[in-house]
């Protein structure tokens, strides 16, 4: 039972949202939620109050709205099924986690985001034709995305080329269906190895024939190996290769595009954290170099919150007829509140201010990380590439005999550090670890880093 106080300072829908979230986290609220009408009658509040609460729970990815069925609490996801980009809090017992996660929303950005959420909730009953949610997402959000891409990445496109999705899994699923429909045969795709496990598993489930392409720690995907393989598509993270971190040089970008053009194929560019290049201006996006040849993927999970579940695709114009043919009768899978809040957050200027502040904080944490790990690199204990870090770096232990004692020490000190094992698709190379540094204040990050340094000091060269 929920207890809502009309005399409280918080609106009724916020009180209801807070109590339902707590019930979900305690495991008390599972399965299908009561209908909006029945819960409104039970609590003696308006249907709008309950609808606002449900929409907020959907926006926070705790609840899903199934058409013609109702609202359902999302079931827990097994650890191995969690997105490689978002595998952070679903970990066993630890006191501190150097997890790879979204960039921290500092106080100003958090307040602005709450205002945008409240604005979206209040405005949902005043929608006009322009703010209606179509299959591709709201036109207002797509217009803001187009402006962002032109300003930040040098990509010039039309809102009709943008498709709003619930995350990378849906984006990749939609891309496969479009390309398969365009080619009229199953897709063969080259994928970086090591790379993004969630992309690999998603595409494999879709029946895509996957060809792992090796990656180097200093130069990104080995473009010559792309030339050797019979591919329809190649999936790359060229701005900051995930997970090893190297950006793909401009000459190699142009060569990759030439190779795929000769194959009459396309490139899928996952630009997952280019906003957070800590050392210099990011290299031009592949999409900016070849607008008609590149399918561009990005989103807001790293810049706002992984719980937002809001990503987008930018299609080449030649794929739009196939998209409209295949998805003509589909409805948008992203909630109105999530889209409207993100639109307001960007339009208000709060998003750009958040990115600038995050970059400043991330540079400080990156410098701290480099300073603390460099002595171990100099001693030959570990190897790390300090380059165009976005919101993580990778290091590996040079002496394989240190791996077991290192991992035992991590467990003993209750420090979580994600191993890279699941990022390899052909042959696992043990002893590689990912350090995320964006999700903390500098003081918090220093606390976890001090634990790591203490553990490294116990290892022998």
């Amino acid at each position: 039972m929920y207890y809502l106080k009309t005399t409280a300072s918080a609106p009724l829908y916020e009180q209801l949202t807070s109590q339902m979230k707590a019930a979900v986290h305690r495991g008390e609220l599972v399965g299908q939620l009561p209908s909006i009408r029945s819960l409104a009658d039970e609590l003696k509040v308006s249907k709008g109050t309950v609808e606002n609460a449900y929409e907020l729970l959907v926006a926070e990815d705790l609840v899903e709205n199934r058409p013609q069925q109702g609202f359902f609490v999302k079931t827990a996801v097994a650890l191995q099924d969690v997105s490689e980009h978002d595998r952070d809090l679903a970990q066993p017992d630890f006191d501190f986690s150097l997890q790879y996660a979204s960039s921290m929303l500092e106080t100003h950005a958090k307040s602005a985001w709450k205002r945008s959420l409240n604005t979206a909730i209040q405005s949902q009953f005043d929608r006009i034709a322009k703010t209606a949610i179509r299959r591709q997402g709201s036109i207002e959000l797509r217009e803001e995305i187009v402006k962002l891409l032109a300003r930040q990445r040098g990509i010039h496109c039309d809102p009709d080329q943008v498709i709003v999705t619930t995350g990378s899994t849906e984006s990749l699923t939609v891309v496969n269906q479009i390309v398969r429909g365009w080619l009229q045969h199953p897709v063969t795709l080259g994928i970086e190895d090591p790379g993004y496990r969630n992309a690999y598993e998603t595409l494999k489930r879709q029946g895509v024939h996957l060809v792992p392409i090796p990656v180097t720690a200093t130069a990104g995907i080995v473009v010559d190996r792309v030339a050797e393989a019979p591919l329809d598509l190649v999936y790359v993270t060229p701005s900051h290769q995930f997970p090893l971190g190297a950006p793909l040089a401009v000459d190699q970008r142009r060569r990759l595009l030439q190779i795929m053009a000769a194959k009459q194929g396309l490139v899928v560019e996952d630009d997952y954290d280019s906003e957070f290049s800590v050392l210099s201006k990011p290299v031009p996006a592949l999409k900016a170099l070849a607008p008609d040849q590149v399918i561009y993927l990005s989103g807001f999970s790293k810049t706002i919150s992984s719980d937002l579940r809001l990503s987008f695709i930018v299609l080449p114009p030649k794929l739009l007829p196939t998209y409209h043919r295949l998805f003509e009768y589909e409805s948008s899978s992203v909630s109105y509140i999530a889209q409207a809040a993100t639109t307001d957050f960007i339009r208000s200027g709060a998003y750009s201010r958040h990115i600038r502040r995050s970059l400043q904080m991330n540079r400080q944490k990156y410098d701290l990380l480099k300073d603390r790990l460099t002595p171990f690199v100099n001693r030959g204990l570990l190897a790390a590439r300090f380059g165009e870090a976005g919101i993580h770096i990778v290091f590996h232990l040079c002496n394989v005999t240190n791996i077991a004692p290192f991992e035992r020490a991590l467990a003993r000190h209750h420090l979580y550090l994600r191993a890279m094992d699941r990022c390899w698709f052909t042959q696992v190379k043990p002893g590689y670890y990912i350090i995320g540094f964006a999700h903390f204040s500098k003081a918090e990050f220093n606390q976890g880093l001090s634990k790591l340094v203490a553990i490294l000091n116990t290892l022998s060269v």
Side-chain angles (χ1 to χ4, degrees):
M1 183 64 182
Y2 309 108
Y3 299 94
L4 309 183
K5 298 180 181 179
T6 57
T7 57
S9 58
L12 294 178
Y13 72 85
E14 286 189 3
Q15 296 179 49
L16 180 56
T17 302
S18 178
Q19 293 178 38
M20 294 185 79
K21 281 172 61 177
V24 169
H25 291 312
R26 290 194 302 267
E28 298 170 358
L29 187 60
V30 296
Q32 186 171 9
L33 300 181
S35 70
I36 291 173
R37 180 185 295 276
S38 65
L39 187 55
D41 289 343
E42 178 184 335
L43 298 177
K44 296 182 170 41
V45 297
S46 70
K47 289 192 295 182
T49 295
V50 178
E51 186 171 0
N52 285 345
Y54 281 14
E55 288 281 8
L56 262 182
L57 292 169
V58 170
E60 296 190 23
D61 204 37
L62 294 173
V63 166
E64 60 182 326
N65 184 4
R66 300 179 188 173
Q68 312 301 320
Q69 296 183 57
F71 293 86
F72 291 77
V73 176
K74 285 199 169 184
T75 55
V77 181
L79 180 57
Q80 62 268 26
D81 296 328
V82 177
S83 160
E84 288 293 322
H85 282 195
D86 300 333
R87 262 177 85 188
D88 45 23
L89 299 181
Q91 302 299 333
D93 179 38
F94 57 81
D95 293 332
F96 198 93
S97 169
L98 291 172
Q99 75 256 25
Y100 173 72
S102 57
S103 199
M104 181 180 70
L105 280 176
E106 43 76 40
T107 304
H108 292 90
K110 194 176 295 183
S111 298
W113 176 242
K114 287 180 179 178
R115 286 195 298 272
S116 293
L117 275 174
N118 283 328
T119 298
I121 291 168
Q122 298 300 331
S123 69
Q124 67 174 312
F125 299 112
D126 301 319
R127 302 181 206 177
I128 57 176
K130 189 174 183 181
T131 59
I133 303 296
R134 299 173 176 82
R135 171 63 186 93
Q136 286 178 248
S138 81
I139 183 63
E140 290 193 320
L141 176 56
R142 287 184 282 132
E143 287 173 345
E144 293 301 324
I145 288 171
V146 166
K147 294 174 191 174
L148 268 181
L149 291 177
R151 188 165 63 247
Q152 295 182 349
R153 303 298 287 126
I155 296 171
H156 300 283
C157 59
D158 188 89
D160 285 343
Q161 294 173 244
V162 179
I163 304 167
V164 178
T165 70
T166 56
S168 60
T169 296
E170 186 187 8
S171 291
L172 289 165
T173 300
V174 169
V175 165
N176 174 53
Q177 291 173 333
I178 293 170
V179 175
R180 180 170 180 155
W182 181 63
L183 293 172
Q184 294 295 300
H185 62 71
V187 175
T188 299
L189 178 142
I191 190 167
E192 297 168 329
D193 182 17
Y196 183 21
R197 171 62 72 170
N198 189 60
Y200 183 91
E201 297 296 338
T202 296
L203 293 166
K204 188 169 75 170
R205 286 195 301 270
Q206 296 295 316
V208 176
H209 176 58
L210 297 170
V211 180
I213 306 292
V215 171
T216 70
T218 56
I221 192 167
V222 180
V223 175
D224 286 344
R225 295 291 290 274
V226 176
E228 297 169 4
L231 303 175
D232 303 306
L233 279 177
V234 60
Y235 171 91
V236 291
T237 52
S239 295
H240 185 223
Q241 198 279 327
F242 185 86
L244 290 180
L248 191 63
V250 174
D251 63 329
Q252 291 301 297
R253 291 175 185 234
R254 296 189 187 280
R255 176 158 161 69
L256 175 65
L257 292 169
Q258 291 168 358
I259 288 169
M260 292 307 294
K263 296 176 184 288
Q264 298 185 319
L266 298 170
V267 177
V268 179
E269 176 181 18
D270 190 343
D271 206 21
Y272 67 97
D273 75 349
S274 63
E275 300 91 344
F276 296 121
S277 177
V278 299
L279 294 184
S280 64
K281 186 176 180 179
V283 179
L286 283 171
K287 183 70 174 175
L289 298 174
D292 296 330
Q293 197 182 346
V294 177
I295 301 169
Y296 182 85
L297 309 182
S298 191
F300 300 97
S301 65
K302 293 294 162 285
T303 54
I304 300 177
S305 171
S306 57
D307 292 333
L308 184 60
R309 309 307 303 165
L310 202 159
S311 297
F312 60 88
I313 308 165
V314 182
L315 290 175
K318 62 186 175 185
L319 295 184
L320 288 175
T322 303
Y323 167 73
H324 290 304
R325 173 172 58 82
L326 292 175
F327 292 90
E328 179 180 3
Y329 300 106
E330 296 280 342
S331 57
S332 176
S333 54
V334 184
S335 78
Y336 166 81
I337 287 179
Q339 296 193 54
T342 305
T343 302
D344 184 78
F345 194 52
I346 298 171
R347 185 183 290 157
S348 69
Y351 180 78
S352 293
R353 289 192 294 273
H354 161 56
I355 296 298
R356 288 196 298 271
R357 291 187 181 116
S358 294
L359 269 172
Q360 291 173 353
M361 290 189 292
N362 286 349
R363 284 192 180 101
Q364 293 174 11
K365 288 176 281 186
Y366 172 80
D367 289 342
L368 178 63
L369 177 60
K370 183 178 178 180
D371 288 345
R372 300 294 295 275
L373 291 191
T374 295
F376 298 105
V377 174
N378 293 339
R379 283 169 47 193
L381 184 70
L382 58 85
R385 183 180 186 278
F386 298 109
E388 294 280 338
I391 54 179
H392 80 279
I393 71 157
V394 167
F395 76 84
H396 77 268
L397 298 174
C398 298
N399 187 346
V400 295
T401 61
N402 278 326
I403 295 174
F406 177 67
E407 295 192 345
R408 286 196 297 270
L410 288 174
R412 191 165 59 251
H413 287 81
H414 302 282
L415 176 65
Y416 171 67
L417 191 64
R418 182 169 143 204
M420 234 181 69
D421 293 9
R422 286 181 53 79
C423 296
W424 306 95
F425 306 138
T426 50
Q427 182 179 2
V428 174
K429 296 181 181 179
Y432 282 74
Y433 302 89
I434 301 172
I435 301 179
F437 55 84
H439 198 60
F440 318 91
S441 68
K442 187 177 178 180
E444 290 171 330
F445 182 60
N446 192 36
Q447 176 188 348
L449 194 53
S450 294
K451 279 194 169 194
L452 177 60
V453 167
I455 293 170
L456 291 172
N457 275 322
T458 67
L459 305 180
S460 57
V461 176

